[in-house]
Amino acid sequence: MTATTTPTAAADPRSFQTFADFYPFYLGEHSNRTCRRLHFLGSTLALVCLGLLIATANAWWLLAGLLCGYGFAWLGHFGFEKNKPASFKRPLYSFMGDWVMYKDIWTGRIPF
């Protein structure tokens, strides 16, 4: 985790006014390494599905991408992190957080 990560599990995700305020909460909800790895895998597979959607124009790849992205993430939360995904209460910020965390894992800012 980064130095800016603070445990805020008791906070209501709807209380954050900006994404910059929300992201440390988001990282606190992803402290389990297996959960982060499952998010990373789901996001990678979702990007593959997006590429296949564009290449084939087959709308089933959109469904596959959503299932990969959310399925792996929710498995990580319910099975390993033991918390409820923030996407239920703050879907846009959670979606943004997924991709910022994905970038942060690729760049080494957050441990894989």
mmCIF file of all heavy atoms in Angstrom, residues 38-47 49 62-75 98-99:
data_model
loop_
_atom_site.group_PDB
_atom_site.id
_atom_site.type_symbol
_atom_site.label_atom_id
_atom_site.label_comp_id
_atom_site.label_asym_id
_atom_site.label_seq_id
_atom_site.Cartn_x
_atom_site.Cartn_y
_atom_site.Cartn_z
ATOM 1 N N LEU A 38 -6.926 -10.202 -7.736
ATOM 2 C CA LEU A 38 -8.151 -10.572 -8.449
ATOM 3 C C LEU A 38 -8.724 -9.368 -9.200
ATOM 4 O O LEU A 38 -9.220 -9.513 -10.324
ATOM 5 C CB LEU A 38 -9.177 -11.168 -7.487
ATOM 6 C CG LEU A 38 -8.845 -12.587 -7.010
ATOM 7 C CD1 LEU A 38 -9.731 -12.985 -5.834
ATOM 8 C CD2 LEU A 38 -8.989 -13.578 -8.155
ATOM 9 N N HIS A 39 -8.662 -8.180 -8.608
ATOM 10 C CA HIS A 39 -9.076 -6.969 -9.321
ATOM 11 C C HIS A 39 -8.224 -6.788 -10.582
ATOM 12 O O HIS A 39 -8.747 -6.475 -11.652
ATOM 13 C CB HIS A 39 -8.910 -5.732 -8.430
ATOM 14 C CG HIS A 39 -10.084 -5.407 -7.590
ATOM 15 N ND1 HIS A 39 -10.483 -6.188 -6.539
ATOM 16 C CD2 HIS A 39 -10.944 -4.377 -7.635
ATOM 17 C CE1 HIS A 39 -11.531 -5.646 -5.970
ATOM 18 N NE2 HIS A 39 -11.835 -4.548 -6.617
ATOM 19 N N PHE A 40 -6.923 -6.941 -10.418
ATOM 20 C CA PHE A 40 -6.009 -6.760 -11.537
ATOM 21 C C PHE A 40 -6.315 -7.756 -12.654
ATOM 22 O O PHE A 40 -6.377 -7.381 -13.833
ATOM 23 C CB PHE A 40 -4.566 -6.910 -11.049
ATOM 24 C CG PHE A 40 -3.533 -6.558 -12.078
ATOM 25 C CD1 PHE A 40 -3.133 -5.249 -12.243
ATOM 26 C CD2 PHE A 40 -2.955 -7.538 -12.874
ATOM 27 C CE1 PHE A 40 -2.172 -4.915 -13.193
ATOM 28 C CE2 PHE A 40 -2.002 -7.215 -13.815
ATOM 29 C CZ PHE A 40 -1.606 -5.902 -13.977
ATOM 30 N N LEU A 41 -6.524 -9.005 -12.285
ATOM 31 C CA LEU A 41 -6.858 -10.034 -13.278
ATOM 32 C C LEU A 41 -8.180 -9.707 -13.975
ATOM 33 O O LEU A 41 -8.274 -9.768 -15.205
ATOM 34 C CB LEU A 41 -6.941 -11.410 -12.602
ATOM 35 C CG LEU A 41 -7.383 -12.576 -13.485
ATOM 36 C CD1 LEU A 41 -6.416 -12.786 -14.642
ATOM 37 C CD2 LEU A 41 -7.503 -13.837 -12.646
ATOM 38 N N GLY A 42 -9.197 -9.346 -13.190
ATOM 39 C CA GLY A 42 -10.491 -9.014 -13.774
ATOM 40 C C GLY A 42 -10.408 -7.817 -14.705
ATOM 41 O O GLY A 42 -11.010 -7.811 -15.791
ATOM 42 N N SER A 43 -9.647 -6.802 -14.316
ATOM 43 C CA SER A 43 -9.498 -5.611 -15.167
ATOM 44 C C SER A 43 -8.752 -5.951 -16.452
ATOM 45 O O SER A 43 -9.118 -5.471 -17.538
ATOM 46 C CB SER A 43 -8.761 -4.505 -14.408
ATOM 47 O OG SER A 43 -9.530 -4.059 -13.316
ATOM 48 N N THR A 44 -7.715 -6.776 -16.350
ATOM 49 C CA THR A 44 -6.966 -7.185 -17.538
ATOM 50 C C THR A 44 -7.861 -7.969 -18.494
ATOM 51 O O THR A 44 -7.884 -7.705 -19.706
ATOM 52 C CB THR A 44 -5.735 -8.020 -17.136
ATOM 53 O OG1 THR A 44 -4.903 -7.231 -16.279
ATOM 54 C CG2 THR A 44 -4.951 -8.467 -18.358
ATOM 55 N N LEU A 45 -8.618 -8.914 -17.955
ATOM 56 C CA LEU A 45 -9.534 -9.691 -18.803
ATOM 57 C C LEU A 45 -10.623 -8.794 -19.406
ATOM 58 O O LEU A 45 -11.027 -9.004 -20.561
ATOM 59 C CB LEU A 45 -10.151 -10.836 -18.007
ATOM 60 C CG LEU A 45 -9.187 -11.955 -17.624
ATOM 61 C CD1 LEU A 45 -9.864 -12.955 -16.687
ATOM 62 C CD2 LEU A 45 -8.637 -12.651 -18.857
ATOM 63 N N ALA A 46 -11.080 -7.807 -18.647
ATOM 64 C CA ALA A 46 -12.077 -6.877 -19.180
ATOM 65 C C ALA A 46 -11.503 -6.096 -20.362
ATOM 66 O O ALA A 46 -12.205 -5.873 -21.362
ATOM 67 C CB ALA A 46 -12.552 -5.924 -18.084
ATOM 68 N N LEU A 47 -10.237 -5.703 -20.276
ATOM 69 C CA LEU A 47 -9.600 -5.010 -21.408
ATOM 70 C C LEU A 47 -9.461 -5.926 -22.615
ATOM 71 O O LEU A 47 -9.663 -5.488 -23.757
ATOM 72 C CB LEU A 47 -8.228 -4.468 -20.993
ATOM 73 C CG LEU A 47 -8.238 -3.274 -20.055
ATOM 74 C CD1 LEU A 47 -6.820 -2.929 -19.611
ATOM 75 C CD2 LEU A 47 -8.913 -2.073 -20.701
ATOM 76 N N CYS A 49 -11.469 -8.374 -23.316
ATOM 77 C CA CYS A 49 -12.834 -8.473 -23.855
ATOM 78 C C CYS A 49 -13.212 -7.216 -24.633
ATOM 79 O O CYS A 49 -13.875 -7.302 -25.675
ATOM 80 C CB CYS A 49 -13.836 -8.727 -22.721
ATOM 81 S SG CYS A 49 -13.708 -10.376 -21.999
ATOM 82 N N LEU A 62 -18.972 -7.615 -24.564
ATOM 83 C CA LEU A 62 -19.288 -6.596 -23.553
ATOM 84 C C LEU A 62 -19.755 -7.269 -22.265
ATOM 85 O O LEU A 62 -19.281 -6.943 -21.169
ATOM 86 C CB LEU A 62 -20.364 -5.636 -24.073
ATOM 87 C CG LEU A 62 -20.849 -4.582 -23.077
ATOM 88 C CD1 LEU A 62 -19.705 -3.676 -22.638
ATOM 89 C CD2 LEU A 62 -21.982 -3.776 -23.681
ATOM 90 N N LEU A 63 -20.654 -8.217 -22.415
ATOM 91 C CA LEU A 63 -21.124 -8.965 -21.242
ATOM 92 C C LEU A 63 -19.972 -9.726 -20.578
ATOM 93 O O LEU A 63 -19.829 -9.710 -19.346
ATOM 94 C CB LEU A 63 -22.241 -9.934 -21.643
ATOM 95 C CG LEU A 63 -22.783 -10.842 -20.530
ATOM 96 C CD1 LEU A 63 -23.385 -10.016 -19.400
ATOM 97 C CD2 LEU A 63 -23.789 -11.814 -21.099
ATOM 98 N N ALA A 64 -19.150 -10.369 -21.394
ATOM 99 C CA ALA A 64 -18.007 -11.118 -20.855
ATOM 100 C C ALA A 64 -17.066 -10.184 -20.090
ATOM 101 O O ALA A 64 -16.567 -10.524 -19.010
ATOM 102 C CB ALA A 64 -17.268 -11.835 -21.975
ATOM 103 N N GLY A 65 -16.831 -8.996 -20.627
ATOM 104 C CA GLY A 65 -15.958 -8.027 -19.966
ATOM 105 C C GLY A 65 -16.506 -7.574 -18.630
ATOM 106 O O GLY A 65 -15.770 -7.473 -17.644
ATOM 107 N N LEU A 66 -17.807 -7.314 -18.582
ATOM 108 C CA LEU A 66 -18.438 -6.911 -17.317
ATOM 109 C C LEU A 66 -18.379 -8.043 -16.296
ATOM 110 O O LEU A 66 -18.099 -7.815 -15.114
ATOM 111 C CB LEU A 66 -19.884 -6.475 -17.554
ATOM 112 C CG LEU A 66 -20.058 -5.156 -18.309
ATOM 113 C CD1 LEU A 66 -21.514 -4.948 -18.688
ATOM 114 C CD2 LEU A 66 -19.535 -3.992 -17.489
ATOM 115 N N LEU A 67 -18.648 -9.263 -16.757
ATOM 116 C CA LEU A 67 -18.588 -10.412 -15.852
ATOM 117 C C LEU A 67 -17.169 -10.636 -15.322
ATOM 118 O O LEU A 67 -16.989 -10.918 -14.132
ATOM 119 C CB LEU A 67 -19.098 -11.673 -16.550
ATOM 120 C CG LEU A 67 -20.600 -11.735 -16.793
ATOM 121 C CD1 LEU A 67 -20.946 -12.960 -17.639
ATOM 122 C CD2 LEU A 67 -21.362 -11.758 -15.479
ATOM 123 N N CYS A 68 -16.181 -10.494 -16.185
ATOM 124 C CA CYS A 68 -14.786 -10.651 -15.736
ATOM 125 C C CYS A 68 -14.413 -9.558 -14.739
ATOM 126 O O CYS A 68 -13.900 -9.844 -13.653
ATOM 127 C CB CYS A 68 -13.828 -10.597 -16.930
ATOM 128 S SG CYS A 68 -13.840 -12.067 -17.954
ATOM 129 N N GLY A 69 -14.666 -8.326 -15.109
ATOM 130 C CA GLY A 69 -14.283 -7.206 -14.255
ATOM 131 C C GLY A 69 -14.934 -7.250 -12.885
ATOM 132 O O GLY A 69 -14.255 -7.215 -11.853
ATOM 133 N N TYR A 70 -16.256 -7.342 -12.875
ATOM 134 C CA TYR A 70 -16.963 -7.339 -11.589
ATOM 135 C C TYR A 70 -16.883 -8.689 -10.881
ATOM 136 O O TYR A 70 -16.793 -8.736 -9.657
ATOM 137 C CB TYR A 70 -18.420 -6.910 -11.785
ATOM 138 C CG TYR A 70 -18.537 -5.427 -12.002
ATOM 139 C CD1 TYR A 70 -18.804 -4.915 -13.264
ATOM 140 C CD2 TYR A 70 -18.365 -4.538 -10.948
ATOM 141 C CE1 TYR A 70 -18.894 -3.543 -13.470
ATOM 142 C CE2 TYR A 70 -18.452 -3.172 -11.146
ATOM 143 C CZ TYR A 70 -18.721 -2.679 -12.415
ATOM 144 O OH TYR A 70 -18.800 -1.329 -12.613
ATOM 145 N N GLY A 71 -16.896 -9.767 -11.629
ATOM 146 C CA GLY A 71 -16.854 -11.094 -11.009
ATOM 147 C C GLY A 71 -15.594 -11.319 -10.197
ATOM 148 O O GLY A 71 -15.652 -11.726 -9.032
ATOM 149 N N PHE A 72 -14.442 -11.047 -10.787
ATOM 150 C CA PHE A 72 -13.188 -11.228 -10.062
ATOM 151 C C PHE A 72 -13.067 -10.248 -8.895
ATOM 152 O O PHE A 72 -12.580 -10.602 -7.823
ATOM 153 C CB PHE A 72 -11.989 -11.104 -11.004
ATOM 154 C CG PHE A 72 -11.733 -12.344 -11.812
ATOM 155 C CD1 PHE A 72 -12.174 -12.436 -13.127
ATOM 156 C CD2 PHE A 72 -11.066 -13.419 -11.263
ATOM 157 C CE1 PHE A 72 -11.947 -13.576 -13.876
ATOM 158 C CE2 PHE A 72 -10.829 -14.574 -12.002
ATOM 159 C CZ PHE A 72 -11.278 -14.649 -13.307
ATOM 160 N N ALA A 73 -13.516 -9.005 -9.108
ATOM 161 C CA ALA A 73 -13.446 -8.015 -8.030
ATOM 162 C C ALA A 73 -14.321 -8.433 -6.852
ATOM 163 O O ALA A 73 -13.888 -8.382 -5.690
ATOM 164 C CB ALA A 73 -13.873 -6.646 -8.558
ATOM 165 N N TRP A 74 -15.534 -8.848 -7.124
ATOM 166 C CA TRP A 74 -16.440 -9.230 -6.039
ATOM 167 C C TRP A 74 -15.977 -10.505 -5.350
ATOM 168 O O TRP A 74 -16.139 -10.650 -4.144
ATOM 169 C CB TRP A 74 -17.862 -9.341 -6.549
ATOM 170 C CG TRP A 74 -18.450 -8.006 -6.918
ATOM 171 C CD1 TRP A 74 -17.900 -6.768 -6.688
ATOM 172 C CD2 TRP A 74 -19.681 -7.764 -7.586
ATOM 173 N NE1 TRP A 74 -18.714 -5.796 -7.184
ATOM 174 C CE2 TRP A 74 -19.822 -6.370 -7.739
ATOM 175 C CE3 TRP A 74 -20.674 -8.595 -8.094
ATOM 176 C CZ2 TRP A 74 -20.918 -5.781 -8.349
ATOM 177 C CZ3 TRP A 74 -21.773 -8.005 -8.705
ATOM 178 C CH2 TRP A 74 -21.899 -6.624 -8.828
ATOM 179 N N LEU A 75 -15.376 -11.426 -6.100
ATOM 180 C CA LEU A 75 -14.787 -12.610 -5.479
ATOM 181 C C LEU A 75 -13.703 -12.178 -4.486
ATOM 182 O O LEU A 75 -13.619 -12.701 -3.373
ATOM 183 C CB LEU A 75 -14.206 -13.540 -6.546
ATOM 184 C CG LEU A 75 -13.456 -14.765 -6.031
ATOM 185 C CD1 LEU A 75 -14.393 -15.697 -5.269
ATOM 186 C CD2 LEU A 75 -12.793 -15.497 -7.197
ATOM 187 N N ASP A 98 -10.854 1.553 -9.545
ATOM 188 C CA ASP A 98 -10.353 0.306 -10.140
ATOM 189 C C ASP A 98 -9.241 0.599 -11.139
ATOM 190 O O ASP A 98 -8.204 -0.071 -11.144
ATOM 191 C CB ASP A 98 -11.481 -0.445 -10.855
ATOM 192 C CG ASP A 98 -12.481 -1.078 -9.927
ATOM 193 O OD1 ASP A 98 -12.170 -1.245 -8.727
ATOM 194 O OD2 ASP A 98 -13.582 -1.417 -10.401
ATOM 195 N N TRP A 99 -9.455 1.603 -11.986
ATOM 196 C CA TRP A 99 -8.488 1.874 -13.046
ATOM 197 C C TRP A 99 -7.280 2.644 -12.536
ATOM 198 O O TRP A 99 -6.165 2.440 -13.035
ATOM 199 C CB TRP A 99 -9.165 2.554 -14.228
ATOM 200 C CG TRP A 99 -10.126 1.595 -14.845
ATOM 201 C CD1 TRP A 99 -11.489 1.616 -14.780
ATOM 202 C CD2 TRP A 99 -9.791 0.388 -15.538
ATOM 203 N NE1 TRP A 99 -12.012 0.515 -15.412
ATOM 204 C CE2 TRP A 99 -11.000 -0.255 -15.887
ATOM 205 C CE3 TRP A 99 -8.585 -0.207 -15.913
ATOM 206 C CZ2 TRP A 99 -11.018 -1.464 -16.588
ATOM 207 C CZ3 TRP A 99 -8.602 -1.409 -16.605
ATOM 208 C CH2 TRP A 99 -9.816 -2.019 -16.943
#
